[in-house]
C-alpha cells in the first residue's frame, strides 16, 4: 500500500531525522536578540540545505528588512495538481528564565521519550515534521500535489516583515491552500490533527493615571483614589459570574455554533479531564453553556496577561497598567473591540482620568 511506504521510509530513517532535528535545535536562532543574528543566518542556511538535499527545487534564502525567509518548491505534482504552501518558522523565543530549565535550552536532551530544547515544540519540531513528511512521500510515492515551503525567521517577533514579503512575492507564493504546522499542535501522540482555524488576537494596554506622582499614603490615603484599586475593580468586572465578557457589544457579531460544528467539537479530546491534566489547574472556568472545546476554539475571550503598578513602599502610585489580550472569532473586528472597551470603561475613566492605548493586534 502506498501509504505504508512513506511511513516505512520514516521509520527506517528515524535516527537520521531525529539527529537533523537535534542539529537544528542546537542553533540558538533567537530572532529578537541582535546578538544572535549570525545564528539566524545559520538556521536559515541549515534549512535551505536540508530542502536542497531532499530534492526540493529553487531553494532560496530571500531577504526581508529583517530576518530572511527560506523558500523552496517541489512542483512535480504537475500543472493540474493543487499547490500547497507549507508555512513554518525557524526562529525561537529566548530561553529565559534559565533556572527553570532541567537541561540546557540549546543542548537537546531526551527524557521519557520527549525531546527537550528551546524550539522543539515551537516550532522546529513541527517544521521538520512537515519537511520530512514531504521528503518521505516524494522519495517513495507519487505525490498528487505541488509543494511550496515558506519558512520565516520573525514569527516570534510578530512576523514584522512577512506582509511586505507576501506582497512582494505574490506570484512566486501562489497556492491553492496553505498548511501552517505552527497552529494548534496535536492533542496527544495518537490523534493526528489538522487545525482548520485559530482565533485571532488583539492586545491593548490600559493605563490608569491618578495623581501626578506617587503620593505618601500617610498624607493622602483616604482622600485620593488609588489607581491600583481602580484598575483591579475594572479587571474584576470584565467577566460576570458565569465567565461572560461584560464589554458592551463584545458578542454582537459572534456567530452561533451550529449543530454540526458542535458535534465535531464534542469529538475532540479537549474535555475537562484532559484540560485539568494538561494545565495543572484545580478547576475549569468559563461559559457553562459551551463545552470546553468550544470555549477554547469558537468563543471569544479577554484576558489580563500583565498587571504593573506600585512599589514596595508606602505610597499611592501615580499609575497602574494592565495588558489585555483578546482572542477573537470570525466577524469580530479588533478596532471595534478596542472602541467597545473604551466605551465600557468610559464611566470609570471619567471619574479617575485614564488613557486606553492600543498596543497591537
Ligand atoms: Zn510558533
Amino acid at each position: 500500500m502506498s501509504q505504508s511506504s512513506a511511513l516505512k521510509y520514516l521509520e527506517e530513517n528515524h535516527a537520521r531525522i531525529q539527529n537533523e532535528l537535534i542539529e537544528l535545535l542546537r542553533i540558538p536562532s533567537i530572532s529578537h536578540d541582535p546578538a544572535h543574528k549570525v545564528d539566524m543566518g545559520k538556521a536559515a542556511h541549515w534549512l535551505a540545505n536540508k530542502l536542497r538535499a531532499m530534492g526540493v527545487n529553487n531553494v532560496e534564502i530571500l531577504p526581508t528588512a529583517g530576518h530572511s525567509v527560506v523558500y523552496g518548491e517541489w512542483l512535480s505534482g504537475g500543472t493540474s495538481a493543487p499547490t500547497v504552501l507549507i508555512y513554518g518558522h525557524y526562529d525561537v523565543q529566548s530561553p529565559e528564565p534559565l533556572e527553570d530549565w532541567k537541561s540546557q535550552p540549546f543542548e537537546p536532551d531526551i527524557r521519557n521519550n520527549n525531546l527537550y530544547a528551546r524550539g522543539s515544540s515551537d516550532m522546529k519540531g513541527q517544521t521538520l515534521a512537515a519537511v520530512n513528511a514531504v521528503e518521505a512521500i516524494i522519495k517513495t510515492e507519487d505525490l498528487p500535489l505541488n509543494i511550496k515551503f515558506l519558512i520565516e525567521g520573525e514569527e516570534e517577533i510578530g512576523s514584522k516583515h512577512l506582509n511586505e514579503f507576501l506582497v512582494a512575492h505574490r506570484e512566486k507564493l501562489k497556492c491553492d491552500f496553505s498548511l501552517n504546522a505552527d497552529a494548534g499542535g496535536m492533542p496527544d501522540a495518537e490523534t493526528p490533527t489538522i487545525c482548520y482555524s485559530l482565533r485571532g488576537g488583539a492586545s491593548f494596554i490600559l493605563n490608569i493615571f491618578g495623581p501626578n506622582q506617587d503620593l505618601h499614603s500617610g498624607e493622602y490615603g483616604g482622600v485620593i483614589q488609588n489607581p491600583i484599586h481602580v484598575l483591579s475593580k475594572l479587571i474584576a468586572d470584565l467577566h460576570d459570574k458565569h465567565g461572560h465578557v461584560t464589554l458592551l457589544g463584545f458578542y454582537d457579531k459572534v456567530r452561533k455554533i451550529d449543530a454540526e460544528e458542535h458535534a465535531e467539537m464534542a469529538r475532540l479530546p479537549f474535555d475537562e479531564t484532559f484540560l485539568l491534566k494538561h494545565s495543572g489547574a484545580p478547576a475549569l472556568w468559563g461559559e457553562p453553556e459551551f463545552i470546553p472545546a468550544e470555549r477554547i476554539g469558537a468563543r471569544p475571550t479577554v484576558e489580563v496577561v500583565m498587571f504593573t503598578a506600585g512599589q514596595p513602599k508606602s505610597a499611592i502610585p501615580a499609575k497602574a497598567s494592565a495588558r489585555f489580550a483578546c482572542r477573537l472569532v470570525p466577524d469580530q473586528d479588533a478596532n471595534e473591540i478596542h472602541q467597545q472597551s473604551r466605551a465600557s470603561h468610559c464611566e470609570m475613566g471619567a471619574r479617575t482620568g485614564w488613557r486606553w492605548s492600543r498596543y497591537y493586534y
Side-chain angles (χ1 to χ4, degrees):
M1 228 176 79
S2 68
Q3 188 200 24
S4 62
S5 53
L7 290 177
K8 200 160 153 251
Y9 178 93
L10 288 171
E11 267 162 31
E12 285 167 3
N13 288 276
H14 183 269
R16 169 181 60 86
I17 288 169
Q18 185 172 295
N19 284 334
E20 288 175 1
L21 174 58
I22 288 171
E23 254 179 63
L24 181 58
L25 288 169
R26 282 198 174 121
I27 305 171
S29 45
I30 304 168
S31 48
H32 89 87
D33 186 350
H36 288 281
K37 200 169 180 319
V38 172
D39 296 314
M40 291 300 297
K42 270 190 202 163
H45 277 98
W46 190 98
L47 278 163
N49 288 337
K50 163 71 190 169
L51 292 176
R52 282 187 197 110
M54 68 187 243
V56 171
N57 308 117
N58 301 324
V59 176
E60 298 170 273
I61 297 177
L62 297 165
T64 73
H67 298 299
S68 304
V69 170
V70 180
Y71 175 82
E73 56 192 27
W74 185 88
L75 305 178
S76 307
T79 46
S80 59
T83 300
V84 188
L85 179 86
I86 297 179
Y87 167 89
H89 66 86
Y90 61 87
D91 63 324
V92 299
Q93 293 262 1
S94 68
E96 277 83 28
L98 292 176
E99 58 272 24
D100 287 353
W101 287 80
K102 292 200 174 90
S103 52
Q104 292 300 310
F106 296 105
E107 195 41 65
D109 186 33
I110 298 173
R111 302 192 295 272
N112 299 326
N113 230 7
N114 291 316
L115 198 160
Y116 293 87
R118 171 53 92 223
S120 59
S121 73
D122 188 6
M123 64 162 303
K124 288 171 175 174
Q126 290 91 323
T127 299
L128 285 193
V131 165
N132 284 305
V134 171
E135 175 182 323
I137 297 170
I138 64 179
K139 297 272 188 203
T140 59
E141 304 178 17
D142 292 326
L143 179 61
L145 291 171
N146 297 307
I147 305 277
K148 294 177 177 179
F149 287 101
L150 184 170
I151 308 173
E152 68 153 324
E154 298 196 317
E155 199 276 344
E156 302 292 5
I157 48 172
S159 299
K160 283 194 271 191
H161 301 100
L162 190 61
N163 259 347
E164 230 169 85
F165 180 87
L166 294 178
V167 172
H169 298 277
R170 185 184 288 271
E171 275 309 303
K172 187 196 285 281
L173 301 171
K174 236 181 187 169
C175 61
D176 296 286
F177 55 99
S178 64
L179 177 71
N180 176 4
D182 203 20
M186 283 166 64
D188 57 57
E190 307 304 324
T191 312
T193 309
I194 292 179
C195 179
Y196 68 90
S197 70
L198 282 177
R199 293 180 293 183
S203 294
F204 313 101
I205 290 179
L206 176 63
N207 297 310
I208 298 281
F209 296 97
N212 285 336
Q213 75 255 337
D214 291 6
L215 298 175
H216 195 283
S217 63
E219 289 173 46
Y220 288 94
V223 294
I224 300 292
Q225 195 173 16
N226 184 326
I228 294 181
H229 300 189
V230 173
L231 189 49
S232 304
K233 172 85 170 82
L234 189 148
I235 292 168
D237 289 344
L238 257 187
H239 297 92
D240 68 15
K241 65 177 182 201
H242 302 295
H244 302 116
V245 175
T246 55
L247 297 180
L248 295 173
F250 187 71
Y251 294 109
D252 283 0
K253 292 196 170 167
V254 177
R255 294 181 197 177
K256 269 187 77 130
I257 299 165
D258 65 29
E260 191 188 344
E261 209 161 13
H262 170 79
E264 282 296 318
M265 280 196 265
R267 288 175 54 202
L268 290 168
F270 303 129
D271 58 9
E272 183 162 358
T273 314
F274 177 95
L275 293 166
L276 290 180
K277 178 174 166 232
H278 287 266
S279 66
L284 292 192
W285 172 90
E287 300 177 296
E289 65 272 43
F290 296 96
I291 58 172
E294 291 169 329
R295 302 200 314 252
I296 58 174
R299 294 290 295 166
T301 59
V302 181
E303 302 285 342
V304 173
V305 294
M306 200 166 87
F307 191 132
T308 326
Q311 294 180 59
K313 60 180 185 180
S314 281
I316 298 167
K319 174 186 164 187
S321 302
R323 180 182 295 208
F324 293 66
C326 307
R327 289 289 162 187
L328 304 180
V329 296
D331 302 333
Q332 280 187 307
D333 177 85
N335 284 314
E336 261 173 46
I337 299 296
H338 179 214
Q339 292 309 322
Q340 289 163 2
S341 308
R342 292 188 83 113
S344 300
H345 299 140
C346 232
E347 184 269 333
M348 179 162 292
R351 265 192 292 122
T352 57
W354 60 286
R355 195 167 77 214
W356 170 263
S357 43
R358 187 171 72 198
Y359 176 62
Y360 79 90
Y361 64 87

